Amino acid sequence: MKNITTILLLFCFSIVFAQEKNEVEKRVKKKQVPESAKEWMKDAYEKKSRVKWYFQTDGTKKAYEAKLFWKNNKHSVEFDTSGEIVNIEILIDQNEIKTHAKQKIQQYFDENYSKFSIKKIQIQYTGDGDDLEDLIDEDEHDEDLTINYEIEFYGKNEDADELWEGLFDQDGKLLEKRIVNIKATDNLDY
Amino acid sequence: MKQFIFILATCFAMNSYAQTRSLGGFFPEASLSYKISEKYSVTHKVESQHFVYNDQTLDDKFDYNHSLTDLQTFVGRRLSPFIKVDIGYQYRIEEGENTHRPIQQVSILQRSSMFRIGHRIRTDQTFFKNEKFLFRARYRLKSQIPLNGVSLDPGENYLAFSNEIIYMTQDGDDDIENRLAGALGFYIDDKNKFEVGLDYRTDDYLVDNRFRNRLWFKVGYYKSL
């Protein structure tokens, strides 16, 4: 049992410390998107017509993503290839993070980096399709919904000087992080 | 915008009462970049200008003429994922006199969800045998906009727009040059990029009766290892 725990722990460690973000994303036409995903969007976002659809893959995981503006916020809704909803991500400001989570996240940055800056924050809702629908069209917040914060940040410490994407839970605890690879800048520099 | 109006107005003014020189041609360039350590990288670049049109010649205005070829090498240090400093050296092969040019530059990457912008601040000094050296201070802004989706992925194309303003001074005389460029880019993968476009250069703004337009058809290959 101890061995398994050690292996599991090491595995988690490797997820937290060794992952890199290398997603490929492309624009797709609405007709290429699974019907059930379009249905869900129609139910939740009602009359919203300006939705941009994307297909993305990181090599193993494949997903469809709908991007739209809703009540002045940028929403990204992720579906799996069968059209089942995976999560909703909404772009937010730093001050929209709940106070206790914000403090914990701040503490994480202070303790782990000598220099850091937050580039982008998305609040991520995961859960049952109906609950997620209520969140959008009824503004109803079901307790079963999982809330995480996905934060893209620049962080420098003794070991690393990178752009990261970190996933924090609703209490501000870091769940995982990965390096965001910045594309070559040779054509911008020379 | 202000700057654009200034350039347009200057062009107009120059055209209306002064003699303007117009030239055009073909401008291939290629660069090769590789890392030598985690922070340091080396870039070699070769670029070459070939005139095919020159309105100053008395006989055939469409005549091929090799203008110059530049050989450049840079050593760069990445200060953060967004900031890089380089020192470089250029050897220019040109009719009359070949020249040496040390180059210093800082490049800053700015990202947005839809595109990215590279800011480049550069100074260089060109040394001649019988003349005083030429000092130039330059600022270039280049944007890269994906044409398919919000991020640029292998096999996709992009648009690149750039403008560079160059201030130069030599032996008490100064001048301004502007370079406006637009290109279609082919993002084969992160190590191979190809750009085809036009580069419109205007200079001798501050010299009487010498205002010059140059329009280049440019092709560029950016290779990294």
Side-chain angles (χ1 to χ4, degrees):
Chain A
M1 191 58 205
K2 227 180 179 180
N3 276 339
I4 294 172
T5 319
T6 317
I7 289 165
L8 267 180
L9 262 176
L10 275 172
F11 185 63
C12 293
F13 245 67
S14 68
I15 286 175
V16 170
F17 293 104
Q19 266 195 358
E20 290 188 12
K21 185 182 180 178
N22 283 312
E23 278 176 358
V24 174
E25 159 270 0
K26 63 173 191 219
R27 187 83 192 266
V28 289
K29 293 204 171 74
K30 201 178 168 184
K31 62 178 183 210
Q32 292 168 268
V33 177
E35 276 308 317
S36 49
K38 284 185 279 192
E39 277 299 314
W40 190 93
M41 287 298 290
K42 220 167 110 187
D43 290 344
Y45 291 95
E46 290 155 4
K47 293 185 189 96
K48 189 73 191 175
S49 57
R50 274 184 63 89
V51 177
K52 285 180 182 168
W53 287 96
Y54 299 87
F55 174 77
Q56 54 178 228
T57 176
D58 58 5
T60 46
K61 204 182 96 184
K62 292 184 174 84
Y64 287 93
E65 198 165 70
K67 286 184 197 287
L68 71 159
F69 272 97
W70 183 251
K71 292 177 180 166
N72 290 325
N73 284 311
K74 231 176 174 173
H75 286 220
S76 302
V77 188
E78 192 181 316
F79 299 90
D80 66 18
T81 46
S82 70
E84 275 296 305
I85 185 160
V86 179
N87 63 42
I88 301 172
E89 290 177 340
I90 304 168
L91 196 69
I92 59 165
D93 283 337
Q94 216 164 316
N95 53 23
E96 290 175 74
I97 301 177
K98 294 225 168 71
T99 315
H100 71 287
K102 204 161 105 184
Q103 283 168 354
K104 192 89 191 276
I105 292 168
Q106 185 66 44
Q107 193 187 337
Y108 165 79
F109 284 128
D110 290 337
E111 283 173 2
N112 290 282
Y113 303 97
S114 56
K115 212 169 146 189
F116 61 87
S117 71
I118 291 172
K119 303 287 180 193
K120 189 169 110 178
I121 307 169
Q122 285 177 303
I123 187 164
Q124 186 189 77
Y125 297 97
T126 313
D128 181 68
D130 291 335
D131 292 341
L132 288 168
E133 191 188 315
D134 290 343
L135 175 80
I136 300 301
D137 62 4
E138 309 284 343
D139 221 356
E140 235 176 64
H141 208 290
D142 195 277
E143 279 177 8
D144 289 339
L145 285 180
T146 305
I147 300 174
N148 290 321
Y149 297 101
E150 194 181 277
I151 302 179
E152 190 185 272
F153 63 96
Y154 162 66
K156 185 184 179 178
N157 57 26
E158 277 173 14
D159 309 316
D161 184 3
E162 303 279 359
L163 184 69
W164 307 91
E165 186 184 271
L167 190 68
F168 297 83
D169 71 9
Q170 62 179 333
D171 300 317
K173 191 179 146 233
L174 179 74
L175 300 174
E176 58 178 61
K177 70 167 181 177
R178 53 185 179 172
I179 292 170
V180 178
N181 284 326
I182 293 180
K183 295 195 167 92
T185 56
D186 49 356
N187 62 329
L188 300 176
D189 298 343
Y190 303 102
Chain B
M1 193 58 203
K2 251 187 184 166
Q3 174 217 335
F4 183 66
I5 292 168
F6 169 75
I7 292 163
L8 268 185
T10 318
C11 285
F12 184 72
M14 292 287 182
N15 273 316
S16 59
Y17 65 85
Q19 197 195 357
T20 309
R21 297 177 293 153
S22 299
L23 304 102
F26 178 59
F27 190 150
E29 58 180 14
S31 82
L32 172 71
S33 303
Y34 51 90
K35 275 190 163 190
I36 47 172
S37 74
E38 202 193 323
K39 296 267 179 210
Y40 288 91
S41 60
V42 171
T43 299
H44 305 290
K45 190 176 178 188
V46 54
E47 55 183 38
S48 188
Q49 299 180 351
H50 306 266
F51 285 119
V52 291
Y53 176 81
N54 186 348
D55 73 350
Q56 296 297 295
T57 49
L58 292 169
D59 46 354
D60 192 3
K61 292 187 182 356
F62 287 93
D63 195 17
Y64 172 77
N65 176 26
H66 168 252
S67 170
L68 52 88
T69 296
D70 292 336
L71 305 170
Q72 303 173 337
T73 291
F74 295 88
V75 177
R77 183 178 197 276
R78 196 160 276 293
L79 301 181
S80 86
F82 310 105
I83 303 170
K84 194 170 168 230
V85 289
D86 278 89
I87 51 165
Y89 165 79
Q90 173 187 290
Y91 184 67
R92 169 167 287 182
I93 302 160
E94 192 173 10
E95 207 184 294
E97 182 184 352
N98 294 350
T99 55
H100 301 273
R101 175 186 291 171
I103 302 167
Q104 307 79 37
Q105 78 171 41
V106 179
S107 29
I108 300 160
L109 175 68
Q110 190 187 343
R111 297 157 65 249
S112 103
S113 60
M114 298 293 282
F115 56 87
R116 53 184 207 158
I117 293 173
H119 302 271
R120 186 180 80 184
I121 300 143
R122 207 181 239 198
T123 51
D124 61 44
Q125 305 80 33
T126 313
F127 295 94
F128 304 91
K129 273 192 203 103
N130 300 316
E131 290 170 60
K132 286 223 166 137
F133 79 93
L134 168 76
F135 171 85
R136 305 194 304 171
R138 320 161 49 165
Y139 167 66
R140 186 178 82 175
L141 184 148
K142 183 172 178 179
S143 62
Q144 191 179 15
I145 309 156
L147 287 172
N148 193 305
V150 289
S151 79
L152 193 56
D153 301 311
E156 294 181 358
N157 301 339
Y158 60 93
L159 287 176
F161 294 106
S162 69
N163 195 56
E164 182 169 26
I165 301 165
I166 304 170
Y167 167 78
M168 60 192 96
T169 181
Q170 183 180 26
D171 201 11
D173 292 328
D174 43 12
D175 193 24
I176 292 167
E177 177 173 342
N178 191 78
R179 298 175 176 178
L180 180 69
L184 175 65
F186 300 88
Y187 185 79
I188 301 158
D189 56 41
D190 207 37
K191 295 185 185 304
N192 294 282
K193 287 182 284 288
F194 180 61
E195 293 183 4
V196 185
L198 293 171
D199 184 334
Y200 176 58
R201 299 184 173 186
T202 46
D203 63 353
D204 288 332
Y205 279 85
L206 307 179
V207 186
D208 283 345
N209 291 326
R210 292 286 292 169
F211 186 71
R212 182 168 66 154
N213 296 286
R214 283 173 295 172
L215 184 67
W216 296 109
F217 174 68
K218 215 169 177 180
V219 289
Y221 200 94
Y222 298 89
K223 169 86 189 162
S224 53
L225 300 176

